[in-house]
Amino acid sequence: MPQFRFSEAAGLLGVSDDTVRRWVRAGQLTEGVDSAGRKVIDGAELAAFAREQAARPDDPSQVGRSARNRFVGLVTEVIADKVMAQVEIQCGPYRVVSLMSAEAVRELGLRPGVLAVAVVKATTVVVETPGGER
């Protein structure tokens, strides 16, 4: 059963160790102890908590589509030549990079500071675990 030390849980959730300790004191997470006597949180509980805590910005496009992976963020950089462009969008802690035509960039008005939604439809998603099973 995977377990995470408070510092690891904090890193995964993008918060401080103190925030994790506050959640434990408030009863939002359950503290356990590993074989070395360190305070830990059960991986399955942490995953459920992460899902509950995830705040997704509203998708401003109001368009229905089959792709379920939508990342709302701000355009941070556009590099374009006459034909192609690279657009970077910061979606929370994640950087999403898209290659598209320079014409599409102009039509969409993409430039740093513009709100955008990155829609990802992939038939292949590679999943890795560091060091194998935990």
Side-chain angles (χ1 to χ4, degrees):
M1 188 174 314
Q3 297 177 323
F4 296 91
R5 290 178 297 178
F6 283 18
S7 60
E8 294 173 316
L12 291 167
L13 297 175
V15 298
S16 70
D17 297 11
D18 288 336
T19 298
V20 172
R21 286 186 199 91
R22 280 193 294 276
W23 286 334
V24 168
R25 280 194 305 269
Q28 294 176 279
L29 287 170
T30 307
E31 173 184 305
V33 179
D34 69 7
S35 59
R38 297 174 297 202
K39 294 179 180 183
V40 294
I41 298 171
D42 173 72
E45 181 182 353
L46 186 63
F49 183 78
R51 178 175 273 183
E52 291 169 9
Q53 294 297 307
R56 275 206 317 224
D58 289 332
D59 183 340
S61 65
Q62 302 294 317
V63 174
R65 59 179 70 86
S66 64
R68 297 290 178 243
N69 302 308
R70 299 176 187 174
F71 303 95
V72 179
L74 291 172
V75 175
T76 56
E77 185 173 18
V78 176
I79 302 169
D81 60 21
K82 289 184 178 184
V83 178
M84 292 301 295
Q86 175 181 308
V87 178
E88 293 186 17
I89 305 170
Q90 193 67 39
C91 304
Y94 303 103
R95 174 180 163 253
V96 178
V97 179
S98 177
L99 301 177
M100 64 184 74
S101 69
E103 179 182 19
V105 167
R106 288 189 300 274
E107 287 177 2
L108 293 171
L110 297 176
R111 62 188 180 290
V114 168
L115 181 65
V117 180
V119 180
V120 179
K121 178 84 172 183
T123 56
T124 303
V125 176
V126 177
V127 176
E128 301 175 336
T129 59
E133 238 183 87
R134 203 177 158 114

